[in-house]
């Protein structure tokens, strides 16, 4: 096997916390006096908390109405709502095939890292009972440029000590796929083939991810 590391996104790959993220943004927007259309969700997927806030405020034409401190407070309020929503998450909230794929990586001596834009990644991992599978978890607060920049995936590869050529990144968001490609890794998409057309290969969920197939496309 050429593949030596698998670098996972969290939301949309291992668990579906995107529903809760967007529901929390909807509550915040409604408090500010406007509604969020469903189409906005895809634009915030894989995007950091503060960048997502800018997208939300722009939609409500309120992006110039708050100071930096007020924006931090708005982001914190959204996070409190979100944390309350995920407080009841358990292993039953893992997406299909997530644990099996982590097990296959471990059995095949493939290193495993988490490259989630979420500062709540470690909390979610604990609740889902998957912390022990990971050799390294990137702290997104230490990353200068979020997805689609390659920084977060390159940090994971560097800490694992694996050349990016021998890493695969696995993502559900367009911004994440771009980040993986910019890092020089094989991009595995989870979700819709049309939406993730920039990925090297796309699967509907983790239960059908084929490591041998990914290995074959790794030059
Ligand atoms: P937090 P991922 C991303 O998770 C979510 O898709 C995105 O909606 C969210 O804004 C971002 O994490 C930051 O999350 O507010 O918890 O720090 O897909 O990168 O695992
Ligand atoms: Mg994601």
């Amino acid at each position: 096997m050429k593949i030596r590391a698998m670098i996972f996104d969290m939301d949309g790959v291992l668990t579906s916390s995107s529903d809760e993220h967007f529901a929390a943004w909807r509550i915040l927007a409604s408090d500010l006096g406007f509604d969020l259309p469903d189409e906005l969700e895809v634009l915030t997927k894989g995007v950091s908390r503060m960048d997502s806030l800018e997208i939300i405020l722009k939609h409500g034409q309120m992006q110039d109405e708050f100071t930096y401190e007020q924006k931090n407070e708005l982001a914190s309020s959204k996070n409190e709502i979100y944390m309350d929503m995920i407080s009841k998450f358990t292993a039953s909230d893992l997406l299909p095939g997530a644990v099996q794929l982590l097990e296959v990586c471990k059995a095949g001596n493939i290193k495993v890292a988490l490259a989630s834009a979420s500062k709540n990644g470690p909390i979610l991992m604990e609740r889902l009972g998957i912390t022990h599978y990971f050799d390294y978890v990137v702290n997104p607060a230490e990353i200068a440029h979020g997805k689609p920049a390659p920084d977060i995936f390159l940090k994971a590869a560097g800490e694992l000590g694996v050349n990016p050529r021998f890493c695969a990144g696995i993502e559900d968001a367009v911004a994440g796929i771009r980040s993986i490609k910019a890092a020089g890794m094989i991009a595995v998409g989870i979700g819709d083939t049309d939406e993730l057309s920039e990925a090297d290969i796309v699967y509907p969920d983790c239960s059908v991810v084929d490591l041998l197939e990914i290995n074959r496309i790794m030059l």
Side-chain angles (χ1 to χ4, degrees):
M1 291 278 265
K2 279 169 275 186
I3 178 168
R4 293 218 284 277
M6 184 72 110
I7 305 174
F8 287 80
D9 173 50
M10 168 78 93
D11 171 31
V13 174
L14 298 170
T15 187
S16 66
S17 44
S18 48
D19 292 349
E20 284 74 12
H21 274 296
F22 199 62
W25 285 125
R26 272 209 157 113
I27 292 172
L28 184 88
S30 150
D31 288 348
L32 293 173
F34 60 94
D35 292 327
L36 297 182
D38 292 345
E39 306 85 76
L40 216 69
E41 181 173 353
V42 69
L43 299 180
T44 59
K45 268 194 199 174
V47 177
S48 76
R49 197 179 306 165
M50 289 308 281
D51 289 347
S52 298
L53 175 67
E54 291 296 338
I55 292 168
I56 303 300
L57 292 179
K58 196 169 173 202
H59 177 78
Q61 298 181 323
M62 296 186 95
Q63 70 270 37
D64 300 323
E65 292 193 20
F66 300 101
T67 62
Y68 177 75
E69 287 73 25
Q70 287 171 324
K71 284 183 179 177
N72 270 327
E73 280 168 27
L74 290 174
S76 296
S77 320
K78 178 265 174 179
N79 193 50
E80 275 172 34
I81 301 166
Y82 170 74
M83 285 190 65
D84 190 47
M85 288 175 171
I86 61 162
S87 66
K88 291 177 193 73
F89 267 43
T90 66
S92 67
D93 293 291
L94 282 160
L95 284 171
V99 165
Q100 291 88 323
L101 181 57
L102 291 165
E103 295 269 4
V104 169
C105 289
K106 290 277 114 177
N109 251 335
I110 295 167
K111 290 193 174 160
V112 169
L114 187 77
S116 166
S118 175
K119 292 178 178 161
N120 295 302
I123 297 174
L124 262 180
M125 290 164 84
E126 279 298 323
R127 300 233 167 94
L128 298 166
I130 54 172
T131 306
H132 60 287
Y133 289 111
F134 288 82
D135 299 295
Y136 183 72
V137 177
V138 181
N139 177 357
E142 293 173 359
I143 301 299
H145 310 286
K147 302 168 189 177
D151 306 30
I152 193 165
F153 283 93
L154 288 175
K155 171 77 173 163
E159 292 289 337
L160 293 176
V162 178
N163 185 313
R165 281 173 57 208
F166 303 113
C167 295
I170 181 161
E171 260 285 353
D172 69 310
V174 176
I177 295 294
R178 290 187 179 150
S179 174
I180 296 167
K181 293 306 294 174
M185 301 176 184
I186 294 290
V188 180
I190 294 293
D192 181 72
T193 319
D194 290 335
E195 188 187 325
L196 303 176
S197 58
E198 292 170 44
D200 294 294
I201 191 158
V202 180
Y203 299 102
D205 61 46
C206 285
S207 70
V208 284
V209 170
D210 181 347
L211 286 186
L212 291 175
E213 193 175 23
I214 295 167
N215 196 57
R216 271 199 297 277
I217 54 178
M218 197 168 267
L219 294 175

